[in-house]
């Protein structure tokens, strides 16, 4: 888990650091006034490092047999008296090899070595696991690929080979995943005339880790294809993405159409993100679509704030 720029953490990050469920964290807040998290403008809780330390200490004391109420009181007393010894693991847990792996990927992309790109991705995935692999290898690599292409350091072929290898690798991971029979369905989709599909594959994989069966509607779907699929599958959630403003330039009424469609699907939550969508929707009110670039918003809403 990495430290946020302002030293605050989401409830999901706190749960990962302490080993407590989000439900237990909320319960301890309410019953024992152990911590009082701040709230962002959207209502979501954010926690300090001291909050994490207190929660971890209470968990340790509870594991030793103390009743929770007594454990909470002891932890707060120690903190106030300055005798507190943290039981929380270090918040920053850097992966020593991540920058080296990204560098090697860039070297291989420069010479368009598809085999070596695949080998490097496979090794990193097996070593790190899916979530760190996406956050510390795939996303930084793709950002650097895009930057080199924009600056003219890479030509279109170098950018295309590197991006396609990553896309195909992510698709393989998702297709090999085994879902529960009762897993809720989540659809991720590019908008029509939108060809930046790798972000939706990353969204699908992150959703998969949350227990969803993911369906991907990739590059530039036909008009109406998303709506038709949603009507047929009746998913729990739909995540739409537009990295550019092209879908809205081609169809100025697209955002309103999607918002009206979302309103008619009573049992499905709709979200839209990506730089193009965020920019276009900034001054255009929507009633049902939830505009966000933060995947935590999607899943935190499911379990309550």
């Amino acid at each position: 888990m990495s430290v946020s720029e302002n030293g605050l953490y989401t409830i999901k990050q706190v749960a990962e650091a302490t080993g407590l469920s989000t439900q237990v964290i909320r319960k301890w807040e309410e019953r024992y006034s152990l911590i009082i998290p701040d709230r962002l403008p959207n209502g979501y809780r954010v926690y300090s490092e001291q909050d994490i330390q207190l929660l971890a200490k209470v968990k340790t004391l509870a594991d030793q047999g103390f009743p929770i109420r007594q454990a909470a009181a002891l932890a707060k007393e120690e903190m106030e008296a300055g005798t507190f010894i943290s039981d929380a693991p270090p918040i920053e847990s850097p992966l020593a090899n991540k920058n080296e792996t990204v560098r090697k990927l860039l070297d291989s992309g420069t010479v368009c070595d598809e085999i070596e790109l695949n080998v490097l991705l496979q090794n990193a995935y097996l070593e790190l696991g899916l979530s760190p692999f996406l956050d510390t290898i795939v996303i930084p690599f793709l950002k650097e690929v895009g930057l080199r292409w924009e600056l003219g350091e890479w030509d279109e072929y170098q950018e295309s080979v590197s991006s396609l290898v990553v896309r195909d690798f992510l698709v393989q991971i998702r297709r090999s995943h085994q879902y529960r029979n009762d897993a809720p369905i989540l659809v991720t989709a590019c908008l029509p005339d939108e060809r930046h599909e790798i972000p939706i594959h990353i969204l699908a994989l992150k959703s998969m880790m949350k227990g969803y069966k993911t369906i991907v509607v990739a590059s530039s779907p036909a008009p109406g294809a998303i709506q038709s699929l949603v009507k047929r599958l009746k998913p729990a959630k739909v995540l739409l993405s537009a990295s550019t403003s092209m879908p809205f330039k081609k169809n100025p009424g697209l955002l309103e159409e999607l918002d009206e469609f979302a309103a008619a699907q009573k049992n499905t939550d709709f979200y839209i993100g990506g730089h193009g969508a965020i920019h276009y929707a900034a001054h255009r009110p929507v009633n049902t679509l939830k505009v966000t670039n933060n995947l935590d918003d999607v899943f935190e809403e499911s379990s309550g704030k």
Side-chain angles (χ1 to χ4, degrees):
M1 181 180 69
S2 59
V3 180
S4 61
E5 292 181 359
N6 57 5
L8 298 175
Y9 307 90
T10 66
I11 194 168
K12 177 185 174 183
Q13 290 175 309
V14 175
E16 291 174 350
T18 60
L20 298 167
S21 69
T22 56
Q23 291 86 353
V24 166
I25 293 170
R26 293 190 186 98
K27 187 179 295 183
W28 286 5
E29 291 173 21
E30 296 167 2
R31 290 187 178 179
Y32 311 116
S33 300
L34 180 64
I35 53 178
I36 304 175
D38 291 328
R39 294 270 185 168
L40 296 176
N42 60 11
Y44 294 130
R45 293 169 168 85
V46 286
Y47 299 79
S48 67
E49 186 170 343
Q50 179 175 294
D51 293 334
I52 293 174
Q53 293 173 351
L54 273 170
L55 288 165
K57 172 62 75 173
V58 173
K59 182 176 183 296
T60 296
L61 292 171
D63 290 342
Q64 293 172 354
F66 286 90
I68 300 298
R69 187 176 298 279
Q70 185 179 358
L74 286 171
K76 286 193 290 186
E77 287 175 7
E78 288 184 17
M79 182 71 76
E80 292 168 0
T83 59
F84 186 89
I85 299 176
S86 174
D87 291 304
I91 302 302
E92 186 68 43
S93 175
L95 300 165
N97 67 339
K98 64 180 180 181
N99 292 332
E100 179 67 12
T101 299
V102 172
R103 184 191 64 76
K104 289 179 179 178
L105 285 166
L106 290 167
D107 289 344
S108 299
T110 300
V111 296
C112 300
D113 189 339
E114 296 183 44
I115 294 176
E116 185 61 18
L117 283 167
N118 267 301
V119 169
L120 289 167
L121 290 171
Q122 179 74 22
N123 289 343
Y125 171 56
L126 293 175
E127 178 183 354
L128 301 176
L130 183 53
S131 184
F133 171 68
L134 293 174
D135 292 336
T136 67
I137 304 296
V138 171
I139 293 174
F141 173 58
L142 291 173
K143 286 181 178 178
E144 184 64 27
V145 168
L147 180 62
R148 291 189 179 196
W149 182 78
E150 289 176 2
L151 295 175
E153 297 177 6
W154 274 19
D155 59 31
E156 187 173 339
Y157 184 64
Q158 290 169 309
E159 186 274 337
S160 176
V161 166
S162 297
S163 297
L164 287 175
V165 169
V166 171
R167 184 202 66 183
D168 291 347
F169 190 82
L170 298 182
V171 169
Q172 288 176 19
I173 295 174
R174 187 176 60 82
R175 287 179 176 171
S176 64
H177 183 72
Q178 299 297 312
Y179 296 99
R180 299 192 328 267
N181 291 333
D182 61 345
I185 295 174
L186 181 146
V187 171
T188 62
C190 287
L191 295 185
D193 299 298
E194 173 68 26
R195 301 187 181 278
H196 294 74
E197 64 178 275
I198 292 181
I200 68 165
H201 290 292
I202 293 174
L203 285 175
L205 288 170
K206 287 180 174 286
S207 302
M208 184 186 77
M209 289 187 286
K210 294 291 185 179
Y212 288 86
K213 180 178 181 179
T214 57
I215 307 296
V216 172
V217 183
S219 179
S220 191
I226 297 170
Q227 293 90 326
S228 176
L229 182 66
V230 169
K231 287 180 179 179
R232 179 159 53 88
L233 295 181
K234 297 178 172 54
K237 296 181 184 293
V238 175
L239 311 185
L240 305 173
S241 176
S243 298
T244 71
S245 58
M246 185 59 66
F248 310 105
K249 290 180 179 178
K250 290 287 189 72
N251 181 0
L254 179 60
L255 187 66
E256 291 75 14
E257 291 173 14
L258 291 170
D259 192 42
E260 290 178 6
F261 177 75
Q265 315 308 308
K266 301 302 183 184
N267 297 315
T268 301
D269 295 325
F270 285 76
Y271 302 83
I272 188 167
H275 178 75
I278 296 291
H279 178 74
Y280 187 81
H283 305 293
R284 293 171 175 83
V286 291
N287 297 316
T288 304
L289 281 173
K290 301 171 182 69
V291 182
T292 181
N293 255 356
N294 187 350
L295 196 59
D296 286 340
D297 292 345
V298 177
F299 299 114
E300 203 166 298
E301 186 171 281
S302 299
S303 55
K305 295 180 181 180

